[in-house]
Amino acid sequence: MDRYEVAFADPGDTFRPGDPAHHDHSFGLSREHFAGLPVRAPGQGADPSERVAWLVYDEGHHDADRNETSLADELDGLLASVDPGRVEALAVTGYGSTNAPGVLAAYADRLPALRSVFLGFTETETWEISWIRQGDITPLLAAYPELERLEVRGSEGLVLRPVEHEHLRVLRFECGGLPGEVVRAVSASTFPALEHLELWLGVEDYGGDATIADLEGVLSGVRLPALRRLGLRDSERQDEVAAAVAAAPVVARLEELSLGMGLLTDRGAEALLSGQPLTHLRVLDLRHHFLRDAMISRMRAALPGIVDLHERRVPEVDDWMYVAVAE
C-alpha cells in the first residue's frame, strides 16, 4: 500500500457519539478530514480552488533514528507546487513527529496562512498510539501566533512548556498516557480564544502520571475565558476526575463536557449528580463507562437528552476494567 493511501481520524470540534458499530476505540471516528478539510498528499492533484489539509511526513520509517526526518524536503516540494497562501492546514504523519515542531517553526515565514496543525496523524493499522513519537511542541506555538488549531496524537517524548497564545481555538491531545508535565503546562498556559480543550489522560503504564492537582488551572478556567467544550477523557482515575469536575468553576460556562473513555463507575457518577448543576450542558459525554443499571437510570432521569451513556462496559475477569485507549 502506498504510504498515503490510508484513512485517518479526525473527531472534529466536538464530542460525537457516532455509530458504535464503526467506532474505533484507538483513535475515534475514522475520517479523511482534518480541521474540516479533506486531506490530500502533495501530488494527488487537488483542485487549485479546493481548500485542503496537506499531508506531509516527518519520521518515515519505524526503525529510523529520531532525528531523521523528511519533513523539510516535503515542505519544500509542497511550497514549490502550491501557493503558500493556500497552505492553511498540515497533517504531519509517519511513525513520529519528533522533529515537526522545530522544522515547522523554521518555516514560519514561508507558511503565512497556516492555521491548523495535526502532529501524529497516524492510524492504529500503521502504528500503535503509544509508539508515536513526539517532541517539544512549544516552539511551534511560539512561531505561529495566528495558529487556531493544534492536535497531537501520541505522547512518547512529548514536551510542552507554559505559553500564552492569543488565537488558539482547539487544543487536543490523544494518547494512552498524557505526562503530568504536559498537563501542568496546559494548566499554567493562557489561551484567551480557546474554545475546545481535550486531554486523553490515559494510564500510568503509558506515561499518564497526571494528578488532579495538575488540572487545577484547567478546572478553574481563569486562563481559559472562551472555553466551551472540555474533554478530560480516557483516565484510569476517571472517578476522581469526575469528582473534581463536579465542583470546578469552569463547568458553569461549558456547553459540552466529556468524561468518557475511562474507568467511570457509580462513584464518579454519584459525584456528578451531587455536584453543581449540569442541566445547562448540551452534551455530557460518558461513553465507555462502567455504571450499573440503577445509576444509568438515575443519570438519564437527571439529565434527559443531555447525557450520552452509550458503550457501557462490564468488568471482565476479576473485575478488571480498562480505558478505551492505552497502548
Side-chain angles (χ1 to χ4, degrees), residues 6-10 29-34 37-40 121:
V6 186
F8 296 89
D10 174 27
L29 302 176
S30 180
R31 302 192 186 281
E32 294 182 342
H33 293 76
F34 166 53
L37 303 173
V39 175
R40 298 282 187 273
F121 199 64

Side-chain angles (χ1 to χ4, degrees), residues 19 51 68 87 126 153 157 171 182 194 197 232 304:
D19 178 356
R51 296 175 59 216
E68 291 184 25
V87 182
T126 302
R153 178 172 293 156
L171 179 61
V182 174
L194 196 69
L197 175 62
L232 301 175

Side-chain angles (χ1 to χ4, degrees), residues 201-275:
L201 298 169
V203 301
E204 193 163 356
D205 285 348
Y206 288 96
D209 59 355
T211 66
I212 299 301
D214 294 336
L215 291 166
E216 181 179 356
V218 172
L219 297 176
S220 74
V222 171
R223 301 182 185 90
L224 305 170
L227 195 67
R228 296 296 179 266
R229 297 183 296 272
L230 174 62
L232 301 175
R233 317 176 76 191
D234 196 53
S235 177
E236 61 184 342
R237 303 182 183 93
Q238 203 71 57
D239 285 344
E240 296 175 45
V241 173
V245 165
V250 73
V251 172
R253 69 172 117 94
L254 295 180
E255 297 174 359
E256 300 186 25
L257 172 64
S258 176
L259 302 174
M261 299 174 62
L263 306 188
L264 185 73
T265 71
D266 285 6
R267 183 164 66 92
E270 185 66 50
L272 292 173
L273 290 175
S274 302

Side-chain angles (χ1 to χ4, degrees), residues 63-325:
D63 57 351
D65 183 272
R66 294 174 68 100
N67 295 320
E68 291 184 25
T69 177
S70 60
L71 184 56
D73 290 339
E74 299 241 339
L75 291 174
D76 287 341
L78 175 63
L79 294 175
S81 61
V82 176
D83 178 355
R86 290 184 53 220
V87 182
E88 58 183 292
L90 289 174
V92 181
T93 188
Y95 293 93
S97 298
T98 308
N99 309 282
V103 173
L104 289 175
Y107 276 71
D109 290 343
R110 299 176 62 186
L111 294 167
L114 188 62
R115 297 293 181 268
S116 300
V117 174
F118 197 128
L119 302 175
F121 199 64
T122 304
E123 65 170 7
T124 186
E125 284 82 0
T126 302
W127 205 229
E128 298 289 356
I129 196 168
S130 63
W131 303 347
I132 300 173
R133 298 174 292 229
Q134 296 289 349
D136 186 350
I137 64 175
T138 316
L140 176 63
L141 289 167
Y144 292 89
E146 302 294 321
L147 196 70
E148 296 179 357
R149 179 166 177 153
L150 176 60
E151 304 197 26
V152 180
R153 178 172 293 156
S155 60
E156 182 188 336
L158 180 64
V159 174
L160 173 66
R161 298 185 298 278
V163 298
E164 181 172 353
H165 198 287
E166 296 291 329
H167 294 283
L168 199 67
R169 294 178 52 243
V170 176
L171 179 61
R172 175 185 284 113
F173 293 93
E174 301 178 2
C175 61
L178 192 60
E181 178 184 7
V182 174
V183 176
R184 289 190 293 274
V186 172
S187 278
S189 294
T190 300
F191 297 116
L194 196 69
E195 300 172 13
H196 181 113
L197 175 62
E198 188 172 335
L199 309 178
W200 294 16
L201 298 169
V203 301
E204 193 163 356
D205 285 348
Y206 288 96
D209 59 355
T211 66
I212 299 301
D214 294 336
L215 291 166
E216 181 179 356
V218 172
L219 297 176
S220 74
V222 171
R223 301 182 185 90
L224 305 170
L227 195 67
R228 296 296 179 266
R229 297 183 296 272
L230 174 62
L232 301 175
R233 317 176 76 191
D234 196 53
S235 177
E236 61 184 342
R237 303 182 183 93
Q238 203 71 57
D239 285 344
E240 296 175 45
V241 173
V245 165
V250 73
V251 172
R253 69 172 117 94
L254 295 180
E255 297 174 359
E256 300 186 25
L257 172 64
S258 176
L259 302 174
M261 299 174 62
L263 306 188
L264 185 73
T265 71
D266 285 6
R267 183 164 66 92
E270 185 66 50
L272 292 173
L273 290 175
S274 302
Q276 62 186 302
L278 299 174
T279 51
H280 66 287
L281 294 173
R282 185 167 63 236
V283 174
L284 173 59
D285 168 32
L286 302 182
R287 284 172 292 147
H288 183 102
H289 62 85
F290 294 84
L291 305 189
R292 295 186 174 90
D293 289 341
M295 181 57 74
I296 290 174
S297 297
R298 288 180 60 195
M299 292 294 293
R300 286 177 172 160
L303 299 166
I306 295 173
V307 65
D308 184 345
L309 291 165
H310 286 89
E311 300 178 44
R312 180 193 183 187
R313 302 300 177 210
V314 177
E316 297 188 0
V317 178
D318 298 326
D319 293 329
W320 180 71
M321 297 188 296
Y322 51 94
V323 300
V325 175

